[in-house]
């Protein structure tokens, strides 16, 4: 087996340990049923997760640029294991909000840093153009593992509600030895920028329209997908899905998503980022509005949300990676991730009480239609996805006169 194949397969195995498959089908259910918390507390906890990831994103990226990608990824896996182990131990709404905030820090240590590590590894040793393809296949592996975990979660929850969360803690801890076995892809120490230079790089990149407006455009859909994520289980219950069937249903969702993820490289090659992101407006808008006419349409919408959310990540980061140079790459990608998390966190904090009043099935069509309209206006006014030269052809990163 070639060095490339060995490295990629070990990366796939590591990526599988970042799965929350044991948590996904029962995590919100546990809070609402076993602990009796309403949408207000759950929405606040989700918001704490997202806002904490905002605060931690750039520091995590800077830590990755200074101390190494694998060190920061290990911190993420370790914190995730702690959060999952404590999930059934803490005993108040405030404690859960704090726990979700800690989880947000763990997420920040994974979200963009793993992509920076993979891109630089491929660039240094293999071929960076394979990033979207390799990342997409890694997501497929993680989804398949998550599907199996979702089935087991339902069975484990029936035996003891604590078991799915313990299992997820063990899975996250299993990523630590895999990280040790993976090669480093860190830049030389003299290539790492200072804090002041890092902030300057972030400001410069934010001044480039092909970077800035793509991130804003993606943030709109990220907010919609984040809202949909924590409303999935209440929505499924509202259309009559029994609690016992959630594990199998989520396994099916993940297997469908896994199949779709295998096409990420093909989608990137055939459509390119401009056409792919442009299609999100009509596809997501019509899908979410269909729930108003047919509540059972929430099932395909949940699948669509999962597929688009997964596929868009590698394509978005390939687009951004191609337009920035290697110095401070993890910090810059973390800055983009911070913006996405901020949009999601604010939306979760605002709409919790609205969902309490309207119910999830009445709220989702309005959310999807509103985001489609806002994204359409942004597309017309800013041209957010541009076919501009990579950063290596214009590394100074100055904004173009077309802005």
């Amino acid at each position: 087996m070639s060095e490339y194949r060995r490295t990629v397969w070990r990366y796939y195995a590591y990526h599988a340990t970042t799965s929350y498959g044991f948590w996904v089908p029962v995590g919100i259910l546990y809070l609402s049923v076993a602990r009796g918390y309403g949408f207000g507390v759950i929405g606040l906890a989700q918001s704490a997760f997202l806002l904490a990831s905002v605060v931690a994103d750039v520091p995590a990226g800077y830590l990755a640029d200074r101390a190494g990608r694998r060190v920061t990824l290990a911190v993420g896996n370790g914190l995730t294991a702690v959060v999952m182990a404590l999930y059934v131990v803490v005993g108040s709404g405030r404690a859960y909000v704090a726990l979700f905030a800690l989880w947000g820090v763990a997420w920040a240590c994974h979200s963009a840093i793993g992509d920076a590590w993979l891109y630089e590894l491929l660039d240094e040793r293999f071929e960076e153009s394979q990033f979207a393809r390799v990342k997409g296949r890694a997501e497929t592996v993680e989804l398949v593992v998550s599907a199996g975990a979702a089935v087991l979660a339902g069975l484990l929850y029936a035996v003891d509600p604590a078991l799915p969360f313990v299992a997820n803690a063990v899975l996250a801890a299993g990523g630590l030895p895999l990280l040790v076995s993976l090669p480093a892809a860190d830049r030389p120490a003299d290539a790492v920028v200072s804090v002041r230079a890092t902030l300057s790089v972030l400001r410069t990149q934010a001044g480039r329209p092909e970077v800035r407006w793509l991130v804003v455009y993606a943030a709109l859909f990220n907010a919609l997908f984040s809202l949909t994520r924590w409303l999935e289980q209440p929505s499924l219950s509202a259309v009559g899905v029994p609690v016992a069937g959630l594990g199998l249903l989520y396994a099916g969702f993940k297997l469908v998503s896994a199949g779709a993820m295998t096409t990420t490289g093909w989608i990137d090659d055939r459509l390119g980022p401009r056409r792919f992101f442009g299609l999100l407006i009509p596809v997501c808008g019509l899908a979410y509005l269909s729930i108003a006419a047919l509540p059972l349409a929430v099932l395909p919408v949940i699948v669509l949300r999962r597929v688009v959310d997964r596929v868009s990540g590698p394509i978005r980061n390939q687009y951004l990676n191609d337009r920035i140079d290697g110095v401070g790459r993890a910090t810059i990608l973390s800055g983009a991730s911070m913006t996405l998390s901020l949009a999601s966190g604010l939306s979760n904090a605002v709409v919790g009480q609205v969902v309490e009043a309207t119910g999830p099935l009445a709220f989702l069509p309005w959310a999807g239609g509103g985001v489609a309209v806002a994204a359409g206006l942004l597309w017309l006014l800013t041209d957010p996805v541009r076919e501009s030269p990579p950063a290596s052809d214009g590394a100074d990163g100055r904004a173009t006169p077309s802005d």
Side-chain angles (χ1 to χ4, degrees), residues 147-230:
V151 174
L152 290 174
L155 300 174
L156 292 172
Y157 191 87
V159 175
D160 185 336
L163 291 178
F165 310 106
V166 173
N168 222 134
V170 172
L171 179 64
L176 299 177
L178 285 168
L179 280 169
V180 173
S181 73
L182 285 166
D186 303 319
R187 302 185 65 80
D190 59 1
V192 179
V193 294
S194 65
V195 173
R196 180 176 296 179
T198 295
L199 295 176
S200 177
V201 168
L202 284 171
R203 286 194 298 268
T204 299
Q205 294 297 331
R208 301 175 61 201
E210 65 269 34
V211 172
R212 176 175 68 248
W213 293 119
L214 180 278
V215 173
V216 174
Y217 182 84
L220 288 173
F221 288 98
N222 203 68
L224 175 63
F225 296 155
S226 176
L227 290 172
T228 307
R229 184 182 301 113
W230 70 271

Side-chain angles (χ1 to χ4, degrees), residues 43-70:
L44 186 60
Q46 294 282 337
S47 180
F49 168 88
L50 292 162
L51 294 177
S53 70
V54 169
V55 173
D57 248 323
V58 170
Y62 183 74
L63 175 65
D65 283 329
R66 296 290 299 186
R69 316 291 194 238
R70 293 181 302 167

Side-chain angles (χ1 to χ4, degrees), residues 132-133 136-137 260-272 275-276 311 315:
R133 190 178 306 277
R137 289 176 177 173
M261 282 301 301
T262 62
T263 67
T264 301
W266 181 88
I267 292 172
D268 192 41
D269 291 340
R270 297 298 187 277
L271 294 180
R275 279 186 288 179
F276 171 78
V311 171
I315 295 175

Side-chain angles (χ1 to χ4, degrees), residues 30-115:
Y30 177 81
L31 294 180
S32 62
V33 176
R35 292 302 180 97
Y37 297 117
F39 288 127
V41 172
I42 295 171
L44 186 60
Q46 294 282 337
S47 180
F49 168 88
L50 292 162
L51 294 177
S53 70
V54 169
V55 173
D57 248 323
V58 170
Y62 183 74
L63 175 65
D65 283 329
R66 296 290 299 186
R69 316 291 194 238
R70 293 181 302 167
V71 171
T72 311
L73 292 172
V75 171
N77 271 60
L79 288 178
T80 299
V82 170
V83 169
M84 290 294 109
L86 292 177
Y87 202 82
V88 292
V89 175
V90 298
S92 69
R94 290 182 179 179
Y96 273 109
V97 171
L99 190 65
F100 271 69
L102 181 62
W103 193 0
V105 176
W107 182 273
C109 291
H110 282 144
S111 59
I113 293 159
D115 288 354

